[in-house]
Amino acid sequence: MTKKTLFYNGQIITVNKNNDVEEAMLVEDNRISCVGKTVEALRLADKYTEWVDLHGCAVVPGFVDCHIHMAVAGARIPNQIDVSKKAGVDSVSELLNKLKAGNTSKDEWIIGSSYSHESLDENRHVTLEELDNAFPDIPVLIIHTSGHMSVANTKALDESRLNLDTEGVMKDGNGRANGLLIENAHFSMLEKSPVLPSDEELISGIERFSKMLASKGITSAHDAGGFGTATFRTLQKAKDRGVLLCRTYPMLWSLFGKSEQLKTAENAIDSGFYTGLGDDFLKIGPIKLMADGSAVGGTCAVSKPLLHLDATAPASFSQKELDEVFVEGHRRGFQLTAHAVGDKAIEMVIAAYEKAMTLYPRKDSRHRIEHCFLMRPDLFEKIKTFGIIPVPNPGFLSVWGGVFEKYYSDRIERVMPLKTFRDMGVITPFGSDAMVIEEYEPLFGIAAAMERRDLKSGRIIGEEQRIDFMHALRCYTYFGAYASFEEKEKGSLAAGKLADFVILSDGVLKKTPDELRKTKVCATYIDGRKIFG
């Protein structure tokens, strides 16, 4: 027998093309059957229908987080120790004490996580000498919250057998490694260190983190990759066991350095499968490459040096390498995406996409650029012309706005240019980039897009690029569904669509950003089934 549930007496925020707000919504099994006036929904109800009084609260489409490292964020690496500010680490001495207190094995690697040198009182990186003095006989690797750099002690460098001439091994004045590893050196170290959890640990992490996503109202996640084939395998195992709670669209990418990225892409292209294989709960997403470094680390590839540097950081791939992977991936039917933060990296990725689409014309490719952080005026029109989808992370503005102001203040109007994208009609779905960021609530990201305020200093970062609530909500719902070719199935509340939606703790249409950040998720539904609340 069909199960019917009527939701009424609230704000049903449809996110349709007219931004209609309705009175009631009727759900039948896993689909929405009616959105409109209460009397319209009642015509389709029967005596068995369950009634849910919303008491004025808002219902919105299930949030779609288009850039999230679900498998990595949920996994618990053996002997991993949180050294973030939230964990009580404010100085180098506190960091070292935290590592000592958390070191239970005494002979295995110590992995520090969520490290940020910007949050330390000293406002600098911990040094190799400081780590060596505290841990002369145990390998230590401290991973930066950006995911693009780390600090190692001598024991870790020795045991990993990392080639100290690798690009990104930073040196002191005497030409010796100082422990800081950025980009290629960092990813090579990850490959050589014991950071890959077992399948069971990954599945447990996916289960744990998907529960967290449900509590935030996230019903669909675009997993931005991490552990390569282990991520894809364990996502499928988690789905088969019924512990993958949200719809997942994984990107095909490995964090273990440039060679592993190329290998992952080549294996995907040679498989014969392509983007879209799967079902409503788990399907193959785009091939991904990491074209440059990070915004918060200041290691992105830009056209002119950042304010704190004398030179520009290199891109992670040559134009020829990007072209080879993306042209062939496009030809074989894949959606493509690239982590590209700086304007130089964005330019290179656009050039590769342009070449692919010119050589092998294909309608509606929807190739993406993850982050697409620092734009140049000449790049906007190409993104529009080729239908490229930027995927910005507005929550970064609230967490790291002060860092961005320090690095990019001479071009701040081009940092995450949300209003310019909106005015040009460019579809820009939002992502949180959890695990990189701890504040991954969609309402946090929406509030950040509306006000662009650094929450630590209170300063506004690029005021002219603010957007309104309804557009920001669309970026976290309908545009997210569009980015995975699923806008006909989800992303807005309409008859015939999947019953993925969220009940919030209050009406939200007139709330300030501060009030939005305090608004809670009361219930999350997928396929008409309550998975949280």
Side-chain angles (χ1 to χ4, degrees):
M1 188 171 103
T2 300
K3 179 186 177 183
K4 295 184 179 182
T5 308
L6 175 66
F7 299 85
Y8 70 101
N9 189 28
Q11 296 177 351
I12 311 296
I13 304 175
T14 64
V15 196
N16 64 14
K17 63 181 180 180
N18 298 318
N19 287 330
D20 290 329
V21 179
E22 301 289 1
E23 296 177 350
M25 179 174 72
L26 185 69
V27 172
E28 296 190 32
D29 291 334
N30 73 327
R31 297 274 173 176
I32 298 169
S33 60
C34 179
V35 179
K37 301 295 184 185
T38 305
V39 66
E40 295 170 356
L42 283 173
R43 293 195 190 105
L44 298 175
D46 56 34
K47 65 180 181 179
Y48 301 107
T49 299
E50 178 185 355
W51 290 47
V52 177
D53 187 345
L54 297 168
H55 298 287
C57 293
V59 175
V60 298
F63 294 117
V64 182
D65 192 317
C66 275
H67 190 103
I68 194 164
H69 297 271
M70 184 164 65
V72 178
R76 289 178 177 167
I77 299 169
N79 218 19
Q80 177 176 288
I81 301 166
D82 184 356
V83 292
S84 66
K85 189 176 184 67
K86 280 190 174 181
V89 174
D90 292 309
S91 65
V92 169
S93 62
E94 288 176 352
L95 184 150
L96 297 174
N97 289 335
K98 188 80 172 179
L99 294 176
K100 288 177 181 177
N103 178 29
T104 57
S105 67
K106 305 302 180 185
D107 56 359
E108 295 180 1
W109 281 62
I110 297 173
I111 307 293
S113 66
S114 302
Y115 159 69
S116 174
H117 62 291
E118 297 275 357
S119 298
L120 301 178
D121 292 341
E122 294 86 350
N123 196 29
R124 64 165 174 82
H125 285 290
V126 61
T127 66
L128 178 140
E129 288 78 10
E130 288 166 333
L131 290 177
D132 282 353
N133 289 336
F135 304 97
D137 303 315
I138 302 174
V140 178
L141 181 67
I142 305 173
I143 301 174
H144 193 267
T145 187
S146 68
H148 286 257
M149 63 180 77
S150 51
V151 185
N153 69 348
T154 299
K155 186 72 172 176
L157 293 173
D158 290 345
E159 288 207 5
S160 69
R161 298 183 180 179
L162 179 69
N163 182 350
L164 298 184
D165 291 324
T166 300
E167 183 181 13
V169 175
M170 307 308 290
K171 308 290 179 67
D172 62 19
N174 297 315
R176 295 175 299 197
N178 66 9
L180 179 61
L181 309 171
I182 63 173
E183 302 304 335
N184 285 335
H186 162 69
F187 293 116
S188 294
M189 174 59 94
L190 291 183
E191 184 179 8
K192 298 172 187 299
S193 63
V195 298
L196 177 61
S198 68
D199 275 15
E200 286 304 313
E201 287 166 333
L202 275 174
I203 293 167
S204 294
I206 290 167
E207 178 180 11
R208 183 166 48 249
F209 197 63
S210 63
K211 288 178 180 177
M212 294 296 295
L213 296 183
S215 73
K216 313 297 183 188
I218 296 169
T219 57
S220 295
H222 295 192
D223 189 294
F227 296 126
T229 54
T231 298
F232 321 142
R233 179 175 65 248
T234 52
L235 280 170
Q236 186 168 350
K237 287 183 177 181
K239 175 182 175 287
D240 291 344
R241 293 185 191 181
V243 299
L244 178 64
L245 296 184
C246 65
R247 306 184 194 278
T248 307
Y249 187 69
M251 303 176 205
L252 309 180
W253 178 74
S254 169
L255 61 78
F256 295 127
K258 182 175 176 178
S259 62
E260 283 299 311
Q261 289 186 57
L262 292 173
K263 181 180 175 182
T264 299
E266 289 164 4
N267 287 343
I269 290 168
D270 291 341
S271 71
F273 302 118
Y274 53 90
T275 298
L277 177 69
D279 58 24
D280 286 338
F281 236 82
L282 181 62
K283 65 178 62 176
I284 292 176
I287 287 174
K288 175 186 169 185
L289 293 179
M290 181 174 285
D292 69 342
S294 79
V296 69
T299 56
C300 53
V302 291
S303 300
K304 66 175 185 176
L306 304 185
L307 290 176
H308 68 304
L309 297 172
D310 297 325
T312 58
S316 303
F317 291 87
S318 68
Q319 188 68 61
K320 181 175 182 291
E321 290 169 327
L322 289 176
D323 289 352
E324 287 177 350
V325 172
F326 285 154
V327 168
E328 189 61 15
H330 171 84
R331 187 177 78 86
R332 296 289 187 95
F334 279 93
Q335 185 185 37
L336 308 172
T337 195
H339 164 118
V341 173
D343 58 346
K344 181 60 181 175
I346 295 169
E347 177 186 26
M348 293 172 68
V349 170
I350 292 173
Y353 292 171
E354 180 178 1
K355 184 174 183 179
M357 287 187 274
T358 301
L359 288 173
Y360 304 104
R362 190 176 97 207
K363 290 184 178 179
D364 205 23
S365 300
R366 302 192 192 182
H367 298 323
R368 303 164 45 145
I369 299 178
E370 311 299 312
H371 312 303
C372 205
F373 177 81
L374 181 66
M375 288 286 289
R376 279 202 324 264
D378 59 301
L379 301 177
F380 285 102
E381 199 56 49
K382 289 209 168 191
I383 281 180
K384 174 70 173 175
T385 298
F386 292 103
I388 296 169
I389 301 173
V391 185
N393 317 105
F396 285 9
L397 295 164
S398 292
V399 177
W400 292 319
V403 177
F404 298 156
E405 193 172 42
K406 182 169 69 174
Y407 292 175
Y408 310 97
S409 62
D410 61 334
R411 58 202 100 169
I412 203 71
E413 75 284 353
R414 294 191 273 115
V415 165
M416 219 177 294
L418 303 179
K419 185 175 183 295
T420 301
F421 283 141
R422 185 201 70 184
D423 293 347
M424 293 185 69
V426 173
I427 289 175
T428 51
F430 286 169
S432 65
D433 207 6
M435 65 174 180
V436 171
I437 190 171
E438 295 179 353
E439 294 81 358
Y440 54 89
E441 297 88 345
L443 290 173
F444 182 91
I446 288 170
M450 292 170 65
E451 69 173 355
R452 299 179 67 99
R453 177 164 60 96
D454 176 69
L455 295 182
K456 186 184 296 183
S457 68
R459 295 179 62 84
I460 302 299
I461 312 301
E463 182 175 6
E464 66 279 4
Q465 292 294 345
R466 289 169 163 175
I467 58 174
D468 61 272
F469 169 77
M470 283 304 301
H471 189 75
L473 177 63
R474 184 175 298 273
C475 293
Y476 245 124
T477 52
Y478 183 82
F479 285 171
Y482 181 91
S484 57
F485 303 89
E486 296 173 298
E487 72 278 10
K488 292 180 181 178
E489 287 288 295
K490 61 188 183 185
S492 61
L493 302 178
K497 286 198 169 184
L498 291 167
D500 294 2
F501 57 94
V502 180
I503 301 175
L504 301 175
S505 60
D506 198 356
V508 292
L509 290 175
K510 296 182 179 180
K511 283 189 178 296
T512 66
D514 273 337
E515 289 169 338
L516 282 173
R517 279 187 285 266
K518 296 173 184 175
T519 301
K520 303 298 182 184
V521 170
C522 292
T524 302
Y525 289 76
I526 294 181
D527 272 339
R529 179 174 59 89
K530 187 188 291 186
I531 63 166
F532 171 78

